[in-house]
Amino acid sequence: MIGLGDIIFPGLLISFASRFDAAKELVKRCSRTTTARNGAMNEDEAARIDTLGEVPPTSSSTPPSKRYHYHIGRIRKALFHGYFGPLVIAYAIGLILAYVAVWTTGRGQPALLYLVPCCLGTMLVLGWKKKQLSELWAGPKIMRKANQIVATANGIPAVREAAAREANSDLAETTSFV
């Protein structure tokens, strides 16, 4: 049986990883836009680059199999270029280990005994491998920078109105009964 703490504590680490990945992506996107505005890239090239930094194939110029591989590659890159995807997989492995331990011993086991090493160990290994461990430990500067970008964008009325329209259209898409 899984308790509330077995979901909350690893969930906090996983949500931190998701927020860290989103902040890195936001800062990277804004720096790419600034690069395009400063003339290092022309506007057409900047418009064609998608959110992951790749040029998407157009439907008329490429066969469907190449587009399929492009989209599979984007999914892989989105899930595994940061911390979120590997941590979700580590959480699932920790749950499986906890259930195997309960099944083999026939007694209740503390699930955090299996979840914490899987999740925290994955985060530490990935941080060490990417040389971001000290940044993760001290509090990521990139998250503060992303917060500044969002605060600046919220101060611009046109950006705020566009974000409100997008949020309303997303809400309409998710609540429509077709």
Side-chain angles (χ1 to χ4, degrees):
M1 182 174 191
I2 298 292
L4 185 61
D6 301 331
I7 298 168
I8 297 294
F9 294 126
L12 288 172
L13 182 65
I14 291 171
S15 67
F16 171 78
S18 173
R19 172 75 172 99
F20 184 75
D21 291 345
K24 278 192 338 186
E25 184 62 34
L26 177 67
V27 170
K28 186 169 78 171
R29 238 193 237 177
C30 288
S31 66
R32 190 169 48 234
T33 303
T34 305
T35 304
R37 285 187 183 153
N38 291 340
M41 209 186 304
N42 66 26
E43 293 291 329
D44 294 332
E45 289 175 350
R48 287 185 55 213
I49 294 177
D50 65 2
T51 59
L52 295 174
E54 300 174 1
V55 177
T58 57
S59 59
S60 60
S61 65
T62 56
S65 63
K66 193 159 190 129
R67 284 187 306 236
Y68 170 78
H69 290 294
Y70 166 77
H71 291 297
I72 294 296
R74 282 190 72 208
I75 291 170
R76 273 195 205 138
K77 193 171 184 181
L79 285 178
F80 299 110
H81 82 283
Y83 294 94
F84 178 72
L87 277 177
V88 169
I89 292 171
Y91 183 76
I93 290 171
L95 279 178
I96 290 169
L97 288 174
Y99 282 120
V100 167
V102 167
W103 181 69
T104 57
T105 62
R107 297 185 205 176
Q109 299 283 324
L112 283 178
L113 184 66
Y114 303 96
L115 294 174
V116 169
C118 286
C119 292
L120 197 56
T122 301
M123 187 81 161
L124 290 173
V125 167
L126 286 174
W128 176 71
K129 185 178 174 185
K130 295 178 180 190
K131 297 180 179 31
Q132 296 174 341
L133 194 56
S134 63
E135 183 182 351
L136 289 169
W137 184 260
K141 293 176 187 174
I142 199 156
M143 291 174 97
R144 288 188 289 274
K145 191 172 183 179
N147 289 340
Q148 289 173 349
I149 291 170
V150 170
T152 303
N154 283 337
I156 303 170
V159 173
R160 193 171 47 235
E161 291 169 7
R165 278 194 306 273
E166 183 178 333
N168 289 336
S169 69
D170 288 346
L171 180 64
E173 289 175 5
T174 58
T175 58
S176 63
F177 297 104
V178 177

